[in-house]
């Protein structure tokens, strides 16, 4: 994706969701299981869009 440098470009990490899935392996009662949680996207800070690297003047 080349959109990262455009102002307000859709975040390519979370695809605009503002959250990313965060699968983890948890051992519950001795059985390893995959638990998928979501957490705020650290790239766009939950907004789903990234600011351009150059702010408008
Ligand atoms: Zn994001």
């Amino acid at each position: 994706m080349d959109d990262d440098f455009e102002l307000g470009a859709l975040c390519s990490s979370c695809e605009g969701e503002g959250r990313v899935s965060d699968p983890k392996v948890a051992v519950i009662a001795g059985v390893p299981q995959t638990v998928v949680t979501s957490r705020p996207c650290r790239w766009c800070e939950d907004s789903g869009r990234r600011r351009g690297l150059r702010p408008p003047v």
Side-chain angles (χ1 to χ4, degrees):
M1 300 272 292
D2 292 325
D3 294 342
D4 292 1
F5 299 99
E6 291 180 20
L7 182 68
L10 208 62
C11 178
S12 58
S13 293
C14 62
E15 298 179 334
E17 292 293 318
R19 293 180 169 272
V20 290
S21 59
D22 188 18
K24 288 177 179 170
V25 176
V27 180
I28 302 173
V31 181
Q33 299 184 35
T34 304
V35 178
V36 180
T37 58
S38 68
R39 57 181 166 80
C41 177
R42 69 190 174 106
W43 297 105
C44 62
E45 297 180 336
D46 224 349
S47 70
R49 289 179 180 271
R50 283 199 221 186
R51 291 201 179 112
L53 295 180
R54 289 173 296 240
V57 267

